Amino acid sequence: MSRANRKRLDELEPLIMAQAGKLENSVYGIVDRVDDGVPNIIRRWKGSIGRMVETDEEPTILVGEKFEPLILKHKKYKAVFGGRAGMKSRFASDAMVGEVNSCGSKVYAIRERMKSLKQSIYASILATIDRLQFNGFMPVESKWEIRHKTGGEFAFGGMQNIIDMKGSVNFKFFLMEEAARTKQETIDTLGPTLRDVEGAELWYIWNPESSNDAMSKEFILPYQAELDRCGYYEDDYHIIIKTTYRDNPWFMGDESLKMELSKDESKVERGLMSKARFDHIWNGAFNDGIEDGIIHEDWFDACVDAHLKLGFKAIGAVTATHDPADTGTDEKTIAIRQGVVFTYMEEIAAENGNRALDYACGIAINHNVDHFGWDCDGMGALLRDQVEANFKGKKVDTWMFKGSHSVHMPEAVYAFSDNYGIKGQKKNKEVFRNKRAQRYVELADRMFKTWEAVTAKERGEAVYHNPDELISFSSDINCLTKLRAELCRLPRKKNNSGMIELYTKADMVAGITMSDGRKLSIPSPNLADDVMMSFDRPDLVRPVQSNAMPPSLNLPRYR
């Protein structure tokens, strides 16, 4: 039989079986709105996913219009992410149950880690079957399966032993629910594994977490502009959909969800919830914050184009900083600022630290920098002669930063904000474990002050800070998303001394134990280190012009 005839038979088979009474038809009704509790159905479809035919039959499954492409088109990868009340999980369960019911398909419902059936969506699938009132399903809990009389089934499992997954055959769908913490190894394995059934698809459903996570890098960041513009991306391989409560036709009729939304909006207005957390919960934004983090996401967001928001200019000394990142797979990086405004950042693809340094020096020269600093912990200490050679004949002041050194001005009294629980008058040497911790708290303080000024202005109030003590990141910088993740995922290290201490890069990559017991590996913050190092020498910040604002001290603060 030719491939074309086989494909045609595959399209007709479920319809023939349904007409013979061997399968119940699943008819999908596409809903664009709900009026007084009554769904407005604009189209009806039946068949198998990717091979639907239009029908006039009564729907057995109702689908929000945002999800219609997922049932009409076949793509190997289908990804749905977003915020609360976006209906992504309910839609996925309905569609998979409908597919097994109509076509006898086999679905493997997967989690990254699953030690028991209770950790799966087994109960959710049973509840969906009951709600849709489909017959022919038979739960087999002991085998972690739900079977259908036609031979279709749901199987449930985890990815603890990824080798076992490579032997999974005859499944048409892999469904990865709560996929936020899916590892890159899993992503790389599932695609090639799902290949034995024509029309096979891999569905990912999740609420995004950090922009540095594997799922974000694979399915969001490469398509960010299109997803931000219309919440939808499609190519030959993917359909990717971002969904929020605004895409849920039933949302306005759900009084409980409306109350939750209103409550959280009120908390933001009263300063009891950060705008970043609200956007993560309800709008599917990245959650780059971390437990015990020293920099809040809202602070970072306020610093983007802060010089435009507050009316000061990027003038003064031009300073470049470079992280050679000579170990592991870390990216080498460079950051450039004029005055307190960062105008350029780049991750450098180079085979080693020496090549990266030559490139960074070239970028710095092209930007006519006045100052050039680099991280000299590790291999960086060996780069002094190479730096001098690169800048020979140039009027460029160079310096090395060593975060493991003792603090700057150790006998001076700690003079930063009260965000870090430091009580009474203490000297810098009594507060900070080392210079790296001190400079990061100084950076955090700049960002906090910038947030104070920007949010006050947005409320029609005002607060004055010397612009030399603020910071701004130009929105033209290409790697702002990654910088946000790095700066907002810098946790303070717990210790018995009460001193402010940060985890080393090696500690972060190896994994930090969170309060819930999970171990979180955090990529090396090289862009963040460039920004922090840039302010290692306060004399390199020259006065900048500003539109003065009258002082106001009544500002909300939250932790």
Side-chain angles (χ1 to χ4, degrees), residues 113-222:
R113 296 194 61 81
M114 194 174 84
K115 295 181 179 179
S116 70
L117 199 58
K118 289 182 180 179
Q119 295 175 320
S120 74
I121 58 169
Y122 180 86
S124 175
I125 294 296
L126 286 180
T128 300
I129 293 167
D130 182 63
R131 172 169 51 80
L132 297 176
Q133 298 182 357
F134 286 146
N135 300 311
F137 286 94
M138 299 164 286
V140 187
E141 189 170 353
S142 61
K143 294 185 179 294
W144 292 22
E145 292 177 347
I146 301 173
R147 298 173 183 169
H148 195 275
K149 64 184 178 182
T150 59
E153 69 171 287
F154 284 94
F156 303 85
M159 294 296 298
Q160 295 95 319
N161 189 344
I162 204 164
I163 296 175
D164 289 348
M165 276 303 306
K166 294 178 181 179
S168 300
V169 295
N170 298 326
F171 285 94
K172 186 174 182 180
F173 297 95
F174 284 171
L175 174 62
M176 179 70 84
E177 263 275 18
E178 295 190 12
R181 296 176 187 171
T182 302
K183 297 177 181 177
Q184 188 64 51
E185 182 184 11
T186 299
I187 297 171
D188 294 342
T189 298
L190 289 180
T193 300
L194 190 64
R195 65 180 184 271
D196 293 324
V197 177
E198 187 173 353
E201 297 183 353
L202 207 168
W203 287 38
Y204 290 101
I205 313 295
W206 81 106
N207 289 61
E209 293 192 0
S210 172
S211 55
N212 252 346
D213 290 343
M215 287 295 292
S216 300
K217 291 179 179 178
E218 186 79 17
F219 295 109
I220 302 178
L221 294 181

Side-chain angles (χ1 to χ4, degrees), residues 8 10-19 23-29 44-58 60-61 70-72 94-105 134 172-173:
R8 180 60 179 159
D10 288 343
E11 292 174 352
L12 293 174
E13 187 175 16
L15 301 179
I16 294 170
M17 292 182 70
Q19 290 172 357
L23 287 170
E24 299 173 85
N25 283 331
S26 297
V27 178
Y28 297 85
R44 295 171 170 84
W45 302 97
K46 73 175 180 180
S48 61
I49 289 175
R51 297 170 181 170
M52 293 285 176
V53 295
E54 200 158 6
T55 180
D56 292 327
E57 296 177 35
E58 278 301 304
T60 54
I61 299 175
L70 294 168
I71 66 169
L72 295 186
D94 284 1
M96 291 296 102
V97 168
E99 185 72 8
V100 174
N101 182 71
S102 288
C103 309
S105 299
F134 286 146
K172 186 174 182 180
F173 297 95

Side-chain angles (χ1 to χ4, degrees), residues 272-288:
L272 302 176
M273 175 186 285
S274 73
K275 181 64 165 57
R277 177 161 176 76
F278 177 90
D279 285 341
H280 168 64
I281 293 172
W282 289 99
N283 295 322
F286 292 125
N287 178 23
D288 285 322

Side-chain angles (χ1 to χ4, degrees), residues 194-408:
L194 190 64
R195 65 180 184 271
D196 293 324
V197 177
E198 187 173 353
E201 297 183 353
L202 207 168
W203 287 38
Y204 290 101
I205 313 295
W206 81 106
N207 289 61
E209 293 192 0
S210 172
S211 55
N212 252 346
D213 290 343
M215 287 295 292
S216 300
K217 291 179 179 178
E218 186 79 17
F219 295 109
I220 302 178
L221 294 181
Y223 321 108
Q224 186 82 64
E226 192 73 6
L227 289 167
D228 287 346
R229 187 177 67 82
C230 60
Y232 182 87
Y233 174 82
E234 180 181 353
D235 60 25
D236 291 343
Y237 314 102
H238 306 84
I239 289 179
I240 303 172
I241 290 177
K242 179 179 181 179
T243 179
T244 73
Y245 66 93
R246 298 177 186 86
D247 301 306
N248 180 352
W250 288 270
F251 180 79
M252 295 308 296
D254 191 320
E255 293 301 325
S256 177
L257 282 174
K258 284 169 58 181
M259 181 190 71
E260 289 296 319
L261 175 63
S262 177
K263 178 195 71 175
D264 286 351
E265 288 174 334
S266 175
K267 289 171 71 174
V268 172
E269 291 175 1
R270 291 180 289 145
L272 302 176
M273 175 186 285
S274 73
K275 181 64 165 57
R277 177 161 176 76
F278 177 90
D279 285 341
H280 168 64
I281 293 172
W282 289 99
N283 295 322
F286 292 125
N287 178 23
D288 285 322
I290 194 170
E291 182 180 310
D292 294 325
I294 65 167
I295 295 172
H296 291 282
E297 296 158 289
D298 278 7
W299 301 358
F300 181 93
D301 295 342
C303 293
V304 176
D305 285 337
H307 61 297
L308 302 180
K309 298 170 184 175
L310 298 175
F312 61 83
K313 296 180 180 179
I315 62 172
V318 180
T319 301
T321 41
H322 169 56
D323 190 334
D326 55 295
T327 60
T329 58
D330 292 355
E331 293 286 352
K332 292 77 173 165
T333 55
I334 183 172
I336 297 176
R337 66 173 169 86
Q338 183 170 19
V340 297
V341 182
F342 283 86
T343 57
Y344 183 88
M345 292 183 192
E346 183 179 348
E347 292 183 300
I348 302 170
E351 57 189 279
N352 56 51
N354 297 106
R355 294 288 178 86
L357 177 65
D358 286 341
Y359 182 86
C361 291
I363 292 292
I365 291 169
N366 289 339
H367 281 78
N368 297 312
V369 303
D370 301 295
H371 310 282
F372 182 89
W374 75 98
D375 188 345
C376 72
D377 275 325
M379 175 189 164
L382 306 177
L383 300 178
R384 183 198 299 268
D385 291 344
Q386 190 177 345
V387 171
E388 290 182 0
N390 275 310
F391 290 113
K392 186 175 182 179
K394 309 288 184 184
K395 293 183 178 180
V396 178
D397 169 52
T398 63
W399 89 99
M400 297 189 297
F401 174 80
K402 194 170 183 65
S404 58
H405 273 185
S406 57
V407 300
H408 178 66

